[in-house]
Every structure is written in C-alpha cells, then in structure tokens.
Amino acid sequence: MTPAPDRYAVIGHPIDHSRSPWIHARFAQQTGQRMVYTAIDAAPEDLDDRVRDFFARGGLGLNVTVPHKQAVLPLLQELSERARVAGAVNLILRADDGRLRGDNTDGSGLVRDLTHNLGVPIAAQRLLLLGAGGAARGIIAPLLALHPAELVIANRSAARAIELAQQFKPFGTVRGARYDELKRQRFALIINATSAGLLQEIPPLPVEVLDASTVCYDLAYARDTTRFVQWAREHGVARGIPGAGMLVEQAAESFLLWRGVRPDTTAVLADLLAL
Ligand SMILES: NC(=O)c1ccc[n+]([C@@H]2O[C@H](COP(=O)([O-])OP(=O)(O)OC[C@H]3O[C@@H](n4cnc5c(N)ncnc54)[C@H](OP(=O)(O)O)[C@@H]3O)[C@@H](O)[C@H]2O)c1
C-alpha cells in the first residue's frame, strides 16, 4: 500500500484569504514532492489544541500566520537564531524525535523580493515600517542587516513600536514613533506590516509622508492591489507594491527547510499574479 503523503498546513485566523496552499501545491508539483498542504482556521483560544492535534496526527510542518506568530512560541521546544531574535515564528518543523522547532522566513522572503525581484535599494535609505506585530518582528533585523540610514517603526499602539525599536537597537539605527510625529519626514521605502487591510482599513499614516519618490510595499497580498497600495498610488508615490513576492519567497524558504529542495519562485509568482 502506498503511504499517505506528508502533511503540511498554514494556521491562522482568518485563513480563507490564504494563497499558501496553492503556492505549496505548485512547489510540490514542480519539485516532484509527495505532500499535501492545507489551511487550518484556528481562533486564538483554539490555537494550542489545533497545533498539538496537527502534529499528534503525524503532520510534519506548519506555517503560522496572523495573529499567531508570537502566541505559538510557548508550544515550541527549539527556535532558530533568527526566530529567537524576532520573537516570532512563521514556520514550525517537527523533528524525527517529535520536537517542534520554530523558524522565521518572513525577513529573508521580504528582503529577497525587495532586492532580487524588485531592485529596491535599502542601503543608506530611510525606511518606515508600519506595525509592530508578528510580521514586523520578523523583518526588522534582516532589513537592518542591509544598513539603511535609519529604520523608523510606527504603530497604532505607539508604546509597542518604541519597545520594539529598543529591542532591535543592537542590530542598527532604529527608533519607534507615533504616526502623527511623521508628518514632515521623508522615507525612500514605506513597508506596511499592519493587519489593517484584513478589515479593509489603512493605517493612520499622514499623507504628507508620501511623495513622488516614495516606494510603498504592502505585506498584505491581493491579486491586483490592496487598500494601502491603492491609497499610496492615489497620492502619487513612485511605486506601490502588494506583497505577493514576499509571500512566494518566504514560502519557498519554508519549503526548502521542510523538503530540502528550493523551488523556482519566478514562474510561481508570475502564475499567482495572473490568477
Ligand atoms: N506577504 C507575506 O508573505 C506576509 C508575511 C507575513 C505577514 N503578512 C501580512 O502582514 C500583516 C500583519 O501580520 P501580523 O502577523 O504581524 O499580525 P499581528 O501580529 O496581529 O499584528 C498586527 C499589527 O497591525 C496593527 N494594526 C491592526 N489593525 C490596524 C489598523 N486598523 N490601523 C493601524 N494598525 C493596525 C497592529 O497594531 P496594534 O499593535 O496597535 O494593535 C499590529 O501592529 C497581515 O496582513 C499578514 O497577512 C504578509
């Protein structure tokens, strides 16, 4: 009898919007891997049970998405260095001895999309990061490693941004701010790492921050555009980019860690954008 295929999934809430099952199915097809990848909707109060249940039933790996990237930490026995620095995970691997190891591929996925796919310069530029949740945590150190002139973190709950900036000071020039402090400032790149888009909202960023040279990148994925990207384009920015490339690149690195083979992202990204 043929053994059942290896099982993987993404866990989040809400999860209907997730393209991860589609992306991993394409990777599996491309690399000849026998596996299934599903989506698990877990409300915060059910997270522990759903994670334990998935691995107890033989699951090999999970991607972790909004809002669970920090909440899942107590369930893990090991963390990679980058997940420890981030204090957030976006993937879990089950080792042969059953131990659960957390890792974080969000930062490398974003950096690869910005620098390799899109050619957006980071070194010596002023960057603004919106949001201080699980996704923001994963991308701060990888961005600082590219030596921007400064990284400013703004968040609705400003205390969280200030605390996060304090935590990442050993990695580069970074500070926290309130949205209303940003009015007269200019940034080469603005990255939206809030979950405002899930509610069809945009973060309270003063429009004065945008100009014709600004690049705006939204971690949120949508087929054509997102509320934030649309809003930025309406205010005349140089480029407004939804986060499809990051989604595919962080998925490719998850796939590599689980299956030991790196899929080619170019065709999968092109097909995702054409869906
Ligand atoms: N493209 C990709 O590969 C990729 C990868 C990772 C994440 N993401 C996306 O990134 C987003 C954030 O995920 P997460 O895991 O960081 O979520 P999270 O941990 O729940 O954090 C949410 C963040 O958004 C802020 N926020 C929520 N609603 C807001 C609003 N209306 N106005 C301003 N700020 C608001 C929160 O501010 P407070 O602290 O004030 O509550 C917090 O900083 C999600 O849309 C997720 O899908 C995409």
Side-chain angles (χ1 to χ4, degrees):
M1 203 171 69
T2 322
D6 293 343
R7 288 177 47 228
Y8 298 86
V10 57
I11 190 164
H13 185 68
I15 203 69
D16 292 351
H17 65 287
S18 177
R19 287 290 184 185
S20 293
W22 184 90
I23 293 168
H24 282 277
R26 286 295 312 274
F27 288 166
Q29 189 184 37
Q30 186 196 89
T31 57
Q33 299 285 305
R34 212 168 153 270
M35 56 183 275
V36 290
Y37 184 112
T38 55
I40 301 173
D41 194 342
E45 61 275 20
D46 299 328
L47 178 66
D48 292 16
D49 286 347
R50 300 301 297 273
V51 170
R52 285 188 222 280
D53 183 60
F54 177 81
F55 287 110
R57 289 166 184 266
L60 290 184
L62 282 177
N63 278 129
V64 182
T65 188
V66 59
H68 301 316
K69 290 181 187 219
Q70 293 167 263
V72 81
L73 289 175
L75 301 175
L76 309 178
Q77 284 83 50
E78 287 174 30
L79 287 179
S80 68
E81 177 60 11
R82 58 190 175 181
R84 191 191 61 72
V85 166
V89 308
N90 78 329
L91 96 154
I92 304 173
L93 305 92
R94 195 193 74 185
D96 291 343
D97 62 2
R99 288 169 69 82
L100 300 183
R101 176 180 168 84
D103 205 334
N104 197 316
T105 64
D106 278 341
S108 56
L110 173 67
V111 161
R112 186 167 164 90
D113 193 37
L114 286 171
T115 58
H116 183 267
N117 298 343
L118 299 163
V120 174
I122 307 284
Q125 304 296 322
R126 294 194 72 230
L127 314 185
L128 174 61
L129 174 63
L130 312 178
R137 286 178 160 274
I139 64 183
I140 296 170
L143 285 172
L144 290 173
L146 299 178
H147 306 292
E150 182 180 39
L151 173 65
V152 177
I153 307 170
N155 194 47
R156 189 173 55 178
S157 323
R160 283 183 85 190
I162 291 161
E163 196 185 307
L164 204 52
Q166 195 59 33
Q167 184 186 326
F168 282 91
K169 280 230 163 13
F171 297 88
T173 307
V174 53
R175 69 183 166 87
R178 297 193 316 268
Y179 279 102
D180 61 6
E181 282 174 59
L182 301 173
K183 271 188 184 133
R184 272 171 288 280
Q185 301 189 35
R186 285 286 170 273
F187 299 93
L189 172 63
I190 299 176
I191 299 169
N192 179 24
T194 75
S195 56
L198 292 175
L199 299 171
Q200 293 302 311
E201 293 173 359
I202 49 171
L205 181 66
V207 291
E208 295 87 340
V209 176
L210 307 177
D211 69 23
S213 65
T214 319
V215 175
C216 287
Y217 189 101
D218 195 350
L219 262 58
Y221 164 74
R223 196 165 62 109
D224 302 320
T225 186
T226 64
R227 279 291 307 273
F228 175 72
V229 165
Q230 185 62 35
W231 175 82
R233 286 179 184 152
E234 282 165 12
H235 289 90
V237 297
R239 292 173 86 181
I241 307 164
M246 174 181 174
L247 185 64
V248 172
E249 296 296 348
Q250 62 78 28
E253 198 164 334
S254 298
F255 195 91
L256 171 66
L257 290 164
W258 287 327
R259 307 300 300 182
V261 49
R262 178 180 278 283
D264 176 14
T265 51
T266 312
V268 176
L269 178 55
D271 289 351
L272 177 66
L273 293 172
L275 273 182

